[in-house]
Amino acid sequence: MTTLTLTELKLFLRDKSGPAFGVGLPLLLLIIFGNLPFYREHRADLGGLTLLDIYVPILVAFVLAMLALNVLPPILAGYRERGVLRRLRTTPVGPVRVLAAQLIIMQLTAMVAVTALLLVARLAFGVELPRQLAGFLLTTVLATLALIAIGLLVTAAAPGGRAANAIGAATFYPMVFLGGLFLPIPAMPTMLQHIAHASPMGAAVTAMQDATNGHWPHWLALVTLLAWASAAAVAAARLFRWE
């Protein structure tokens, strides 16, 4: 398992698109937002916070969604399309270990990306680290499970790598919109706010912002993430095809 994970990690790093989108793009967005004076102004309507304070948890959720929906599905669907998973079924390695290795790599990449985001935001732009660290970590774990489960469901539904890329992108953009990347959730119309809070990205961002401000994440957001993780995992397991 260790050898397989290291091999998959080498392939992941050699491809460069995964690290670029999963780590580089969120950091680039943070640097762009952080250098805009509008995002660094303290605002009374945000309780004295800046827009950058609000956007850092959104970018953390953005990282998780990018890895789960735009990086993982094309890799696994491409393996299935090329017959890699089918051939591995005849060896002691088995295709399940390939799936496990990919999940480990996604989790490690997410840890690196989230840590880098928080540190750069703190050291370069003075954004406070999450004051309720345990709640923030719990939310990050649940959000990772929910989004990866949805990514596996995309993989199960896609016939090949290109289709997985297209379906993943079609799922990703509405999700990040509901997560507040283009329009913060409090600024959305009331009906859209309810939809956003029921989405995995909206629930993740809401819980992360609560933890960042020093409050324990609302139980409804955590339950929403757990429900998405469970439902998507069950659906993916039923639909997943090794060949």
Side-chain angles (χ1 to χ4, degrees), residues 116-191:
L117 268 176
L118 295 178
L119 289 178
V120 171
R122 175 60 185 153
L123 298 175
F125 304 111
V127 176
E128 294 292 334
L129 294 173
R131 287 185 284 173
Q132 176 50 262
L133 185 58
F136 189 88
L137 292 175
L138 175 61
T139 301
T140 303
V141 169
L142 290 178
T144 302
L145 293 175
L147 291 168
I148 284 182
I150 295 171
L152 292 175
L153 181 57
V154 169
T155 304
R162 291 184 179 180
N165 211 353
I167 298 172
T171 308
F172 172 78
Y173 288 108
M175 276 203 182
V176 296
F177 174 80
L178 293 173
L181 182 65
F182 305 112
L183 180 68
I185 295 175
M188 294 179 181
T190 304
M191 181 60 68

Side-chain angles (χ1 to χ4, degrees), residues 20 23-35 59 117 120 125:
V23 181
L25 181 58
L27 281 175
L28 178 62
L29 291 175
L30 173 64
I31 292 170
I32 292 173
F33 292 153
N35 281 284
L59 289 175
L117 268 176
V120 171
F125 304 111

